[in-house]
Amino acid sequence: MGKYDDIWAIAEDNYGLITTRQAKELGMSNAQLVVMAHRGSLVRVGHGVYQVKHHVPGQHDGYALGVAAIGEGAYLRGASVLGLLNIVPTNLSVFYAGVPGRMRRRLDAHIRVTTNRPIVPRNYFGIPCEPVNIALISAKEDGALDWDKLAEAAEVALEKGYLTAEQYNKFKKDISE
């Protein structure tokens, strides 16, 4: 099996993405990834993030790419989680993420990252995310959604099974205070 096949084995379940760290675990150097990108079998989509050329984009690719570009331990948070799950329409020009520790990487202005906020992420569609009950609170703290939209989002999350009745009632109580 060739190096590209090794990359594909990882990338096929990860929105066609592979990071330089994952490639290193396969025994590949950064220089080899650059050569593969120059040959056209990989596309560099961010610092330390490549996508296989023949990946067919899907509706969640932007979220997966955003989390991968931020780095290890990154996860979606707040309004971005609610948008990913189609709980409430959100402003797609702003991307909310979190990391458990410090982050030194410079990111685009539309990416809002909260640091030093350790959580146990949940995987929704294979993308690490804040659990929905925490994402609702984050969206409130960020000012990403107004009160009416937050209440509506909580109801939809309850209907879709992303919130328990207890979590829903706690959130309703918290926003009414």
Side-chain angles (χ1 to χ4, degrees):
M1 186 157 49
K3 290 294 184 186
Y4 185 79
D5 294 329
D6 294 341
I7 288 173
W8 178 245
I10 291 173
E12 73 178 323
D13 294 330
N14 191 32
Y15 298 92
L17 301 171
I18 187 160
T19 64
T20 53
R21 174 173 280 171
Q22 291 169 320
K24 186 176 182 177
E25 291 171 2
L26 294 173
M28 296 185 69
S29 68
N30 289 346
Q32 288 173 304
L33 290 174
V34 170
V35 167
M36 290 179 87
H38 282 293
R39 290 183 181 158
S41 54
L42 296 178
V43 177
R44 185 179 183 268
V45 292
H47 179 75
V49 182
Y50 293 84
Q51 192 167 49
V52 293
K53 178 88 173 179
H54 67 273
H55 171 71
V56 178
Q59 72 183 65
H60 306 304
D61 280 27
Y63 296 107
L65 175 58
V67 169
I70 292 167
E72 187 155 341
Y75 54 86
L76 280 184
R77 59 180 291 279
S80 292
V81 174
L82 304 177
L84 170 73
L85 299 174
N86 289 319
I87 290 174
V88 66
T90 58
N91 180 358
L92 297 177
S93 67
V94 180
F95 184 86
Y96 295 93
V99 291
R102 282 181 45 194
M103 187 188 71
R104 294 183 181 167
R105 189 172 291 172
R106 286 188 110 174
L107 300 169
D108 294 337
H110 72 281
I111 300 175
R112 310 271 163 73
V113 179
T114 301
T115 59
N116 293 320
R117 189 170 186 180
I119 64 155
V120 177
R122 288 231 172 102
N123 278 335
Y124 298 118
F125 304 110
I127 301 169
C129 300
E130 282 182 330
V132 171
N133 61 318
I134 298 171
L136 285 164
I137 300 207
S138 293
K140 175 185 167 192
E141 291 171 352
D142 294 336
L145 299 170
D146 62 25
W147 292 109
D148 293 339
K149 287 289 183 195
L150 280 170
E152 179 184 321
E155 288 176 22
V156 172
L158 178 65
E159 290 170 13
K160 289 186 170 194
Y162 291 116
L163 284 181
T164 65
E166 182 181 326
Q167 291 170 326
Y168 173 77
N169 291 331
K170 182 179 180 332
F171 179 76
K172 291 293 277 187
K173 181 182 172 200
D174 290 346
I175 65 169
S176 65
E177 292 177 352

